[in-house]
Amino acid sequence: MPELVVTALLAPSRLTLKLLRAFMWSLVFSAALVAAAVYGCIALTHVLCRPRRGCCGRPRRTPPACLSDPTLGEHCFLTLRSSGLRLHYVSAGQGNGPLMLFLHGFPENWFSWRYQLREFQSRFHVVAVDLRGYGSSDAPRDVDCYTIDLLMADIQDVILGLGYSKCILVAHDWGALLAWNFSIYYPSLVERMAVVSAAPMSVYQDYSLRHMGQLFRSNYMFLFQLPWLPEKLLSMSDFQILKTTLTHHKRGIPHLTPNELEAFLYGFSQPGGLTGPLNYYRNLFRTFPLEPQELATPTLLLWGEKDPYFEQGLVGAISSRFVPGRLEAHILPGVGHWIPQSNPEEMHQYMWAFLQDLLD
């Protein structure tokens, strides 16, 4: 068929897709402006209530001692083959078994896996990375450096760069979103997955369009689409919004000590420390709309019944996309979003049972 005819036949579909994307972006930025007004009021209230902290975040010059805890592992750097970036990671148990690779979420870093690093190093080579843009890893400033494809290439480079051909992928929040995608596009590199508190992008998209409550829970994602303003709001009153996110008595991490809180704030307080992590969100809507994808990697899914950011209904939506028999899902009663840190013992029990056949 002549190329001109093909172009003419595809023109209506292409126009419809462009109009759909234009409509989507108009909604996203409208929601972003509303979210900016709300979070701006919250940040201003924090400043007025604590005027001595000022309108900026205090830079931390010395990392807290818990980031150097030798029981968690050895600090190393790996230069990625695809991008040349250097990623920081903490490694323990090398030679003790298969590679267990941990991917953190926001606003976290490798330290969010401290309980799992201690628990599994006796039977696995455990590695917790600082994803690009976080902590001591390289942090390019350009938004285009944080596309899903580049982030998945980072994971591939870490696995192969550590000398492995496959891994057990353990992931939470944003790290879990990357893990879902990685298992779809690089299935040969993932033997098993343990996913906590996040849905695949296509599942989240379809579910959110049918359940407006989920969009309200995700209001911060719209704020993060804007340039520079989210960095400013999050840093005001010495990062009080982040502090509240991590320490809130209902929505935060239970029993988080001041030293552990500083372990997360230290990286964000460095110059440009928030821009890389927020650039993950600024790429979220670029691939809209997404096609449904079948999920087949054997996966343990853990979900908090009281997760304030993701509705429990997403678990059923995820299950409907799975090859039968490949998903083991558990909803933890009374538990929130931060399961690896709030309920490590419960998480470890499920993981040991899920991985038992690999160890026999």
Side-chain angles (χ1 to χ4, degrees):
M1 188 178 294
E3 184 177 347
L4 184 61
V5 175
V6 173
T7 301
L9 291 173
L10 291 176
S13 297
R14 288 172 175 167
L15 179 60
T16 300
L17 186 59
K18 287 182 179 180
L19 291 174
L20 180 62
R21 285 178 172 162
F23 177 68
M24 183 272 296
W25 278 111
S26 67
L27 291 179
V28 167
F29 279 109
S30 297
L33 293 176
V34 173
V38 173
Y39 279 92
C41 291
I42 293 171
L44 183 60
T45 300
H46 288 317
V47 172
L48 294 176
C49 291
R50 303 171 181 86
R52 291 186 178 182
R53 292 186 181 178
C55 295
C56 299
R58 173 177 59 84
R60 275 72 172 163
R61 292 181 172 81
T62 305
C66 58
L67 287 177
S68 303
D69 186 344
T71 68
L72 298 177
E74 179 185 2
H75 292 257
C76 310
F77 287 87
L78 178 68
T79 300
L80 304 180
R81 186 189 62 177
S82 300
S83 62
L85 296 178
R86 284 205 327 158
L87 288 196
H88 167 256
Y89 66 94
V90 173
S91 168
Q94 186 167 2
N96 290 349
L99 173 64
M100 182 179 285
L101 180 62
F102 296 96
L103 306 178
H104 64 79
F106 175 84
E108 299 175 290
N109 55 34
W110 72 267
F111 185 71
S112 60
W113 299 109
R114 57 196 178 280
Y115 298 107
Q116 290 71 41
L117 287 170
R118 292 191 184 102
E119 176 73 14
F120 293 100
Q121 63 181 264
S122 63
R123 300 298 300 274
F124 297 92
H125 178 196
V126 291
V127 172
V129 299
D130 275 334
L131 295 170
R132 75 159 67 186
Y134 283 85
S136 300
S137 292
D138 284 350
R141 295 189 63 84
D142 195 330
V143 175
D144 292 334
C145 293
Y146 295 87
T147 64
I148 295 295
D149 289 344
L150 291 177
L151 297 171
M152 286 195 298
D154 288 355
I155 301 170
Q156 179 190 31
D157 287 347
V158 169
I159 296 168
L160 299 179
L162 291 172
Y164 292 86
S165 59
K166 57 185 177 180
C167 75
I168 297 155
L169 207 50
V170 185
H172 173 249
D173 189 76
W174 244 108
L177 189 151
L178 297 178
W180 285 120
N181 258 45
F182 191 78
S183 70
I184 294 168
Y185 292 102
Y186 299 89
S188 64
L189 295 178
V190 186
E191 188 169 16
R192 298 280 178 91
M193 284 208 305
V195 174
V196 187
S197 307
M201 292 178 67
S202 61
V203 174
Y204 177 84
Q205 168 196 275
D206 294 348
Y207 183 90
S208 297
L209 292 175
R210 298 194 308 272
H211 299 82
M212 292 301 295
Q214 180 55 60
L215 288 177
F216 283 108
R217 291 189 184 215
S218 304
N219 59 78
Y220 57 92
M221 295 185 184
F222 298 107
L223 169 68
F224 294 166
Q225 302 308 307
L226 300 174
W228 70 264
L229 181 61
E231 285 93 329
K232 180 62 177 177
L233 295 179
L234 292 184
S235 64
M236 288 175 70
S237 191
D238 196 31
F239 304 98
Q240 185 57 46
I241 289 179
L242 291 182
K243 289 178 180 178
T244 301
T245 299
L246 293 167
T247 63
H248 191 273
H249 68 284
K250 289 185 177 180
R251 300 189 300 272
I253 303 169
H255 313 300
L256 191 71
T257 69
N259 202 34
E260 290 170 339
L261 175 62
E262 286 298 312
F264 298 120
L265 296 180
Y266 173 74
F268 298 131
S269 76
Q270 305 309 305
L274 281 167
T275 298
L278 293 180
N279 281 343
Y280 283 62
Y281 291 95
R282 291 171 177 138
N283 279 286
L284 261 181
F285 297 101
R286 289 192 173 191
T287 52
F288 179 89
L290 295 165
E291 293 294 325
Q293 297 162 314
E294 186 178 65
L295 304 168
T297 300
T299 300
L300 170 67
L301 175 63
L302 300 179
W303 206 272
E305 178 194 24
K306 301 294 186 181
D307 193 316
Y309 306 109
F310 298 110
E311 291 186 356
Q312 191 173 314
L314 279 164
V315 176
I318 295 168
S319 301
S320 69
R321 298 282 182 86
F322 252 92
V323 171
R326 297 292 182 89
L327 177 67
E328 178 186 327
H330 299 277
I331 297 174
L332 279 56
V335 175
H337 181 70
W338 314 95
I339 293 172
Q341 300 181 70
S342 65
N343 296 77
E345 296 86 358
E346 202 168 351
M347 178 177 176
H348 299 162
Q349 289 176 4
Y350 283 119
M351 286 182 62
W352 282 120
F354 180 66
L355 300 171
Q356 188 58 53
D357 61 304
L358 297 180
L359 300 172
D360 290 340

